[in-house]
Amino acid sequence: MDARTPSLPSPFADWFAARGWSPRPHQLELVRRAEAGLSTLLIAPTGAGKTLAGFLPSLIELAPRAEDGLRRPHRLHTLYVSPLKALTTDVARNLDTPASEMKLNLRIESRTGDTPPHKRQRQRAHPPDILLTTPEQLCLLIASEHARVFFEDLQAVVIDEIHALAPTKRGDLLALAMARLQRWAPGHRRVGLSATVADEEGLARYLLGSNPPPHAGEVLSAAKRRGKAGTPPSVSRDTPDSSPVNGGALQSVVVKAPPGAQPVVDVLDSDARIPWAGHTARHALPEVYAAIKAAKLALVFVNTRAQAEMTFQELWRINDDALPIALHHGSLDVAQRRKVEAAMARGDLRAVVCTSTLDLGIDWGDVDLVIQMGAPKGAARLVQRIGRANHRLDEPSRALLAPSNRFEVLECRAAQEAVKEGAMDGAEPRVGGLDCLAQHIMGCACGEPFDADELYAEVVSTEPYAALPRPQFDRVLDFVATGGYALRSYDRYKRIVQDLATGRWRARNATIAQQHRMNVGAIVESEMLDVRLANRVQASRPGTPASEGPRPLMPGRRLGQIEEYFIEGLAPGDTFLFAGEVLRFLSVRDTDALVVRAPGAENPSIPSYAGGKFPLSTFLADRVRRMLDEPKRQKLLPQQVRDWIRMQKKRSVVPAPEEMLVETFPRAAKHYLVCYPFEGRLSHQTLGVLVTRRLERAGKKPMGFLASEYAMAVWALEPMDDVDLEVLFDEDMLGDDLEAWLAESTLMKATFSKCAVIAGMIERKLPGAARKTGRQVTFSTDLIYDVLKQYEPDHILLQAAFADAGEGYLDIKRVGALLRRVKGRLVHRALPHVSPFAAPVMLEVGRVGVQGGADEAVLEDAASLIAEAMS
């Protein structure tokens, strides 16, 4: 062992020895770095003990304090932040075990949205030694009085699954919160933990910011100091004179653990007929069930909550062996989720159907198989989910991918290859949202009065806001103070005031501060209703005669939450799947949807949830295009998929990776144009909107379009064989066409509404009042949107809304890259009828109408379409 490598104190060394373990080199490296006050980005595979590595230095530092007993002063030493409440609960349980077994006598507590108010108040008055929380709760703590006192003793911040937070609005708020912590506790160190990192340097910049904690960029040459390659963690080297914000020195904070065993990833080659379209993978469920039977505990991951409900119900339908199978997703009641988690930890379950609520860092029970229903949409997400199986570094994790359709077979194979190669995808660094900045400014004013110059320096010290100009900051500050130019005459938008004597800003009054604290966060979901089992009101006393007619219904046990718009589409008596049961809808009372169980009811609806689908990553899309161009890789595909591709080559063409195929053909008195960008549903939807506008101007009378992950189809009344495709797909469509469409669409209003809620212009919760309904929020924000668009079109919230629309809903950057990629590389085939590749997109049920056009069915008969494509 290197002379600089620390030896563990006896309680810790004895604890490792009692289990037959030895501390891993990267765990010891983090102890050494903590002793030097260094911040670290630890990249370690699942099962390598990265969570323990993050906490081990804190436990060692706290051990001597613990000897003073529970009467010692209450000082927060370590703050742990995770993206999921379930992960926080899991880590708290796993951290309690070594602390209690070593008799460290530590105060370790968690704080999430599920934590009761009385416990949160006690934590503020008496901080634990280690607090495990979420970004939203951290922002709430910063917005509380005496926040400086609460955090001033902070020694360490541990951010788990940091890659999942950094490229999101929650990551914006977390970066701003860390800058505030840097002011209050300038000596603290930061530790980022992740198993899947594509851009190490970018993530290191996010962790440290441009004004990192002391010694963050200290030079390390551990890789040279340690002798054997591959045994110690690798630590990048740099020159002592480098600034810690430069790329090389940023690498010096990255510690990599040796890779674990190569995961075993299989793609299900189903004996059943693989569907041409759809996202349920229902055809594969018998084979999935067989895999569950052969496993000890399987996690069955799906990409949407709707798919979770359907998959769970279908598995129970074929569960002839009565295997204990559970359901876990974010809309279920917290008590139900905790019940499932506890059963997993005890080993009482054989399978859990789950969404992303369980895919980040959680170690529940003895999972030995991960099943992915449908394509994973990203290699990093797949690696993350595979990591839930077999938390042992020297044994391979096992995963089974079950594609939903034929294009997904290609995507699953591409993901399988990427995992084998160790290739990774990841989100690009984002520019911080102005709505998040507005929320942070308000939160700072609620905590303690702030100086604008000092706060601006904090803000630009973060990576997301490093390039924020001072005039833009001042405009956001003015928005929080007055609402902006167009709204400054309304008192309700004056939320902070400046002390003329000190020049510092504070919350206007206690009520406004309370309003802010009730609405903290960057997650704006659709309006939700509580799903409750209905109970009949009992007679007032025994023996009282029943009144005429049925007794009124009262809300009973809460099963979870469901989106309001789905319930609005139901009539009393309709049935639907939820919480793993078939329920019959009765009525809505206030914010409760009253239901009764309806086992055996046929054809229940499956709830849909807004924003549930993951977009196909650019990384996997490129690999799918290349797979279609390489016959050698196609030999591994199922025979029916190979036949499908072979028929496409015969009937049309399979494009080269940098080309885009455009097919035109007539069908059922309509004319179709289908293109194959392979760039994901979001970008294809934007492309469809803009292409239909151009086709309308060209007199082709477009009637509608369909967008899938892989293709986009437009149908019209006039033939489109003679369209100049280079003009149709020119990059200039992202100029006037995009602006004109946004001016007409409701998308900008919907996006603005979410930005207004995050920025605090519209509060969903008010002290002493019922939560606003979705209609009330929409009505309020629509009015404000119309006023700002007319009188202050450059208002910061309109800027924020346009940025969100371009980055998320429209995926403008990706559409632009697509149009540049295919310029001069368009391949047109005018066909007599539908091609094998075109059939799947035409079978998609999702349909977007064009303004002024008829919303007609695309298909009369799916079977005849497939026969036509393959004849």
Side-chain angles (χ1 to χ4, degrees), residues 563-574:
E563 294 190 357
E564 183 181 44
Y565 82 88
F566 174 76
I567 292 295
E568 288 177 343
L570 299 179
D574 287 350

Side-chain angles (χ1 to χ4, degrees), residues 45-68:
T46 298
K50 63 176 177 294
T51 303
L52 180 57
F55 280 107
L56 190 57
S58 295
L59 295 177
I60 292 173
E61 292 169 9
L62 284 165
R65 299 189 193 181
E67 296 174 2
D68 297 336

Side-chain angles (χ1 to χ4, degrees), residues 550-603:
R551 293 189 299 272
L553 295 170
M554 293 295 291
R557 185 165 74 88
R558 181 178 183 270
L559 300 179
Q561 290 187 312
I562 201 165
E563 294 190 357
E564 183 181 44
Y565 82 88
F566 174 76
I567 292 295
E568 288 177 343
L570 299 179
D574 287 350
T575 58
F576 65 98
L577 295 179
F578 186 75
E581 301 183 82
V582 181
L583 305 174
R584 190 177 305 281
F585 171 64
L586 301 179
S587 65
V588 173
R589 179 171 300 177
D590 297 326
T591 58
D592 296 325
L594 302 184
V595 300
V596 293
R597 292 187 174 94
E602 296 184 359
N603 300 318

Side-chain angles (χ1 to χ4, degrees), residues 457-530:
E458 282 183 30
V459 168
V460 295
S461 74
T462 68
E463 176 63 13
Y465 296 93
L468 180 74
R470 178 60 189 259
Q472 190 78 320
F473 172 84
D474 290 338
R475 292 189 65 208
V476 179
L477 177 63
D478 181 64
F479 159 71
V480 180
T482 69
Y485 168 76
L487 302 173
R488 66 177 64 249
S489 59
Y490 299 92
D491 282 348
R492 60 168 298 184
Y493 300 116
K494 297 176 181 177
R495 293 181 288 154
I496 61 175
V497 294
Q498 188 175 27
D499 187 309
L500 297 180
T502 64
R504 292 183 172 270
W505 294 86
R506 59 173 175 78
R508 185 180 173 193
N509 54 49
T511 300
I512 288 177
Q514 186 182 4
Q515 285 178 192
H516 169 80
R517 295 178 187 125
M518 293 177 67
N519 292 276
V520 159
I523 301 175
V524 182
E525 294 184 336
S526 298
E527 186 64 26
M528 307 292 281
L529 296 177
D530 288 332

Side-chain angles (χ1 to χ4, degrees), residues 267 279 303 372 374-379 381-382 401 403-418 425 614-617 619-621 623-625 627-628 633 637 641 644 678 680 709-710:
V267 178
H279 302 280
N303 292 338
Q372 169 66 47
K377 304 303 172 189
R381 180 177 295 109
L382 177 59
L401 310 186
S404 296
N405 57 58
R406 299 190 178 198
F407 271 125
E408 280 198 352
V409 171
L410 303 176
E411 186 182 335
C412 286
R413 292 288 184 179
Q416 179 190 41
E417 293 177 359
D425 51 10
F614 297 116
L616 174 68
S617 72
F619 174 83
L620 279 189
R623 283 178 167 258
V624 170
R625 289 196 302 269
M627 181 177 292
L628 285 171
R633 296 168 70 187
L637 299 174
V641 176
W644 174 61
F678 291 89
E709 293 284 10
Y710 314 101

Side-chain angles (χ1 to χ4, degrees), residues 70-89:
L70 295 177
R71 293 186 178 180
R72 68 188 185 278
H74 285 264
R75 295 173 180 167
L76 179 63
H77 179 281
T78 296
L79 179 72
Y80 166 91
V81 182
S82 81
L84 295 178
K85 291 185 286 187
L87 180 54
T88 300
T89 302

